[in-house]
Amino acid sequence: MSRRKAVRGLFLLVALGFGAWSLAGQWGAVSDGFARLSWPELAGAFVAVLGALGAGMMMWRSLLAEFGSPLSLTSAAKIFFIGQLGKYIPGSAVHVMLAQMEMGRDHGIPRSRSAAAFFLTYPIYLASGLLVGVVTLPVIGGDSVARYAWLLLLVPVLVVALHPAIVNAVIGFGLRRLRRPPLERPLTRRGILAAVGWALAGWALYGAHLALIVHGLGATGTDAVILSFGAFALAWCLGTLAIVFPAGAGVREVAMVAALAPVLDRGSAIAAALCSRLIVSVGDLVCAGMAGAAARGSVPQTSQPAEKH
């Protein structure tokens, strides 16, 4: 047990170190942008980000419950948010998954369920995020986002891929290849819809945070608000796809600047993208700290015995 605690402590220190380094590295580039934002706009954007991160946690928690491992809010928040700090370490996705699997063991969550919930969050976020982009960007964004029109082809593919029968077949195939036991409870349509609902709530809050930043940088009116929702969703989806299909660093910022071009000049759009990234990064650290503090001293909640190895 002491060795596991030492490993977790090292993971936390490394993740916090990379997170702090990321924040410090961005500050010089965003300080001018923050100076143009009022305190109510900054506070509102930050609160919206906290809500969006919470919605992401609830989506992951709902998937785990669907697979047969329900968690209390405190336990789910600790595992999810502290695990998310792994994304600041190079090789982010692997570190997040391993951290969530390791902490999930304390709560009796089999590794197969943790892995299934982790990997399923990405197509759900992609499908719902692209849907947000399709609804908000084409008419108002115009030529500024025309280069990303190919993303429309992914929407029907992802919608079909999220059918419970296909999801369960893919998960089952993967577990067989890894010589793991199958999931005891297959994913249902209700479970998929609940997860998509939480994802859409997250996109709404992320869009609200960017709309407040964009407003503070000089863009007003309905078009600016609508573009903010689509710009963040587009940027996140492209950034996620860039992990699978490498497309160079800064892809999220490039996409966000392009989407905001109709309402902000290039300098202000860059400031909006960088301010958004910094606020989200601070939100990650704050959520992890709050979750860790809330869970400290609590007795681990056990759902079912974890897999033996």
Side-chain angles (χ1 to χ4, degrees):
M1 181 61 71
S2 59
R3 182 180 177 182
R4 289 174 61 188
K5 286 184 177 180
V7 171
R8 293 181 187 185
L10 179 61
F11 163 80
L12 189 58
L13 287 175
V14 172
L16 289 174
F18 274 102
W21 177 76
S22 175
L23 294 179
Q26 295 176 55
W27 179 250
V30 303
S31 56
D32 291 340
F34 276 133
R36 296 167 60 184
L37 302 177
S38 67
W39 282 109
E41 288 165 340
L42 277 173
F46 182 63
V47 170
V49 163
L50 293 182
L53 293 171
M57 183 273 292
M58 292 298 294
M59 179 183 71
W60 173 81
R61 177 175 178 253
S62 72
L63 289 172
L64 270 181
E66 181 75 4
F67 289 134
S69 292
L71 288 172
S72 68
L73 283 173
T74 301
S75 298
K78 176 185 176 182
I79 297 171
F80 182 82
F81 289 127
I82 294 180
Q84 285 292 302
L85 294 180
K87 67 186 179 183
Y88 292 100
I89 303 175
S92 58
V94 174
H95 296 302
V96 173
M97 181 184 68
L98 292 177
Q100 290 179 352
M101 289 171 64
E102 174 62 23
M103 288 187 289
R105 289 178 60 194
D106 293 341
H107 300 267
I109 303 174
R111 286 187 172 91
S112 57
R113 294 182 192 170
S114 291
F118 172 81
F119 283 112
L120 193 52
T121 59
Y122 283 92
I124 290 175
Y125 261 136
L126 276 173
S128 57
L130 290 175
L131 179 62
V132 172
V134 167
V135 171
T136 57
L137 291 177
V139 176
I140 301 175
D143 294 339
S144 66
V145 293
R147 76 186 78 170
Y148 304 117
W150 58 270
L151 287 168
L152 297 176
L153 300 176
L154 294 179
V155 176
V157 175
L158 287 167
V159 170
V160 172
L162 286 175
H163 190 282
I166 295 179
V167 172
N168 291 325
V170 171
I171 292 176
F173 174 78
L175 292 176
R176 287 194 300 273
R177 294 287 294 177
L178 294 172
R179 297 182 180 179
R180 302 288 185 183
L183 294 175
E184 295 86 349
R185 292 173 53 176
L187 191 67
T188 65
R189 182 175 299 177
R190 181 178 180 180
I192 285 286
L193 291 176
V196 170
W198 283 115
L200 290 174
W203 290 127
L205 289 163
Y206 277 129
H209 110 275
L210 186 57
L212 287 167
I213 294 173
V214 167
H215 182 273
L217 294 175
T220 59
T222 304
D223 285 1
V225 174
I226 295 175
L227 280 178
S228 296
F229 284 78
F232 192 92
L234 174 68
W236 190 95
C237 291
L238 282 169
T240 299
L241 289 172
I243 296 175
V244 183
F245 306 104
V251 63
R252 292 188 183 184
E253 285 73 18
V254 171
M256 190 176 293
V257 169
L260 293 175
V263 295
L264 286 177
D265 62 78
R266 181 171 177 78
S268 295
I270 292 174
L274 294 177
C275 288
S276 171
R277 177 178 281 275
L278 186 58
I279 290 174
V280 172
S281 297
V282 172
D284 282 330
L285 297 176
V286 169
C287 283
M290 292 173 61
R296 182 174 297 174
S298 62
V299 178
Q301 171 198 1
T302 303
S303 55
Q304 291 188 16
E307 295 171 348
K308 295 181 180 180
H309 298 278

